Amino acid sequence: KLLASARDDMVRGAGGRLTEDEGTTLAGKYPGRRFRAAVADPRPGALDARIYLVGPKLYQVMAMGTEERKSTIFLARDMRLK
């Protein structure tokens, strides 16, 4: 529920519309969400984000780009706990 709420807040804050959403884990044990949203203002584009709940902490990583540059490399796929 916390992850869904954080996802919805990120999408709403960016003025977007959720287009993809799936569960994921970090380090094989911490729950997370991987999602994408379409953004209209100020220019059409996309938002890619990952959120993870690690113990009591919520980690959020987001990247946004225009339609012309939506092939952004998303660095969160390389997130690791240290």
Side-chain angles (χ1 to χ4, degrees):
K1 185 153 174 127
L2 176 64
L3 292 171
S5 178
R7 175 204 61 212
D8 294 345
D9 288 346
M10 287 178 78
V11 172
R12 189 178 314 109
R17 178 183 49 82
L18 191 65
T19 57
E20 296 177 32
D21 178 39
E22 66 179 324
T24 186
T25 60
L26 179 62
K29 62 181 178 178
Y30 299 108
R33 304 293 311 166
R34 180 183 347 215
F35 57 96
R36 185 174 175 91
V39 179
D41 289 324
R43 292 175 46 186
L47 171 151
D48 283 315
R50 310 292 187 269
I51 52 176
Y52 297 99
L53 186 60
V54 179
K57 295 182 181 182
L58 182 69
Y59 291 90
Q60 304 176 54
V61 179
M62 177 177 67
M64 291 180 71
T66 62
E67 281 297 318
E68 298 86 39
R69 301 191 54 123
K70 70 179 182 183
S71 61
T72 305
I73 296 172
F74 196 78
L75 301 177
R77 77 177 121 214
D78 296 323
M79 286 180 67
R80 291 184 176 81
L81 292 177
K82 294 187 180 204

